[in-house]
Amino acid sequence: DQQVKQNSPSLSVQEGRISILNCDYTNSMFDYFLWYKKYPAEGPTFLISISSIKDKNEDGRFTVFLNKSAKHLSLHIVPSQPGDSAVYFCAASAKGSQGNLIFGKGTKLSVKP
Amino acid sequence: SQTIHQWPATLVQPVGSPLSLECTVEGTSNPNLYWYRQAAGRGLQLLFYSVGIGQISSEVPQNLSASRPQDRQFILSSKKLLLSDSGFYLCAWSAGGQGIQYFGAGTRLSVL
């Protein structure tokens, strides 16, 4: 049973436009959510996170939105740059879980010049 | 600053051979440590985590084991590798609780 779902395996966006990556979760105990970026043959790099007490968190070009009622979060990248091309993973953890992260399968973002 | 080291970067092993992957963290003490595996076309699956020396929790029953002989050292082992053990193995650390996890560069394991 997949608790964190990224239903779009890939996304292609033009440079300068907005990239929107989506993530859905099923476990109502999740209260902390993270986005990671991963290049091939490298470890994931932390991008941005959000606690369930918030509905938005912004860091430069990256904004994460959380809709708790819909159990949905999204990552917005504006403006998108070719260097943003990578696989993006959504992850979630529940309080008391020792911080164990449950990852989605990832979305491969391609930003075309 | 904290750094995480993981080696080797790539490894090709025959079926039935043993495995030992090592991960060390610098610049912090008493970190939570994690081993993940990413199989081809899949997400990251948590294999083991540790909140202290000698304390190992397994998330998925499998052909692998983990040990934490020192505070900042985490080892992933197998006595006999299977073809299904092939994948990309990642070590991560966090400061504890629901802190952000920081990942190593990973080891690409191919079992032939």
Side-chain angles (χ1 to χ4, degrees):
Chain A
D1 178 33
Q2 225 181 324
Q3 299 184 65
V4 177
K5 300 177 185 179
Q6 293 178 258
N7 293 319
S8 298
S10 62
L11 175 67
S12 183
V13 172
Q14 206 67 33
E15 181 179 6
R17 305 295 291 268
I18 184 172
S19 295
I20 301 177
L21 296 105
N22 293 303
C23 178
D24 297 293
Y25 62 96
T26 58
N27 189 340
S28 58
M29 299 301 291
F30 289 150
D31 63 352
Y32 188 57
F33 304 89
L34 307 90
W35 284 95
Y36 283 85
K37 175 182 180 179
K38 185 181 180 302
Y39 294 116
E42 292 184 11
T45 302
F46 168 73
L47 266 179
I48 193 169
S49 64
I50 188 166
S51 164
S52 61
I53 62 173
K54 293 185 171 183
D55 54 19
K56 177 183 174 182
N57 189 24
E58 192 171 353
D59 184 1
R61 295 186 298 115
F62 302 92
T63 303
V64 56
F65 296 91
L66 175 63
N67 182 334
K68 289 186 289 295
S69 60
K71 294 191 176 67
H72 176 84
L73 65 155
S74 60
L75 174 69
H76 292 210
I77 307 174
V78 182
S80 301
Q81 300 173 353
D84 295 329
S85 298
V87 177
Y88 289 78
F89 288 98
C90 170
S93 73
K95 194 175 290 185
S97 67
Q98 301 290 352
N100 294 347
L101 295 178
I102 306 299
F103 282 84
K105 291 188 177 182
T107 296
K108 184 175 182 180
L109 174 66
S110 299
V111 180
K112 301 186 184 308
Chain B
S1 64
Q2 301 87 6
T3 56
I4 179 168
H5 303 278
Q6 191 180 338
W7 66 93
T10 59
L11 191 59
V12 181
Q13 292 284 99
V15 170
S17 64
L19 172 74
S20 180
L21 301 180
E22 189 164 344
C23 172
T24 59
V25 180
E26 295 178 358
T28 187
S29 59
N30 197 30
N32 281 11
L33 296 172
Y34 307 85
W35 278 112
Y36 289 87
R37 176 171 61 200
Q38 183 183 18
R42 306 288 297 275
L44 280 71
Q45 181 185 40
L46 178 64
L47 302 176
F48 301 95
Y49 70 93
S50 171
V51 299
I53 296 174
Q55 300 179 59
I56 308 294
S57 296
S58 173
E59 288 294 299
V60 181
Q62 62 226 317
N63 184 41
L64 303 167
S65 62
S67 61
R68 185 171 177 173
Q70 300 180 44
D71 181 45
R72 290 169 289 174
Q73 183 186 29
F74 206 22
I75 297 172
L76 183 69
S77 304
S78 173
K79 291 183 179 177
K80 287 186 179 182
L81 283 168
L82 306 172
L83 286 173
S84 58
D85 291 324
S86 294
F88 192 53
Y89 288 83
L90 290 154
C91 181
W93 75 273
S94 76
Q98 287 184 288
I100 297 164
Q101 290 185 23
Y102 299 94
F103 286 81
T107 295
R108 171 71 61 191
L109 172 65
S110 298
V111 182
L112 305 177

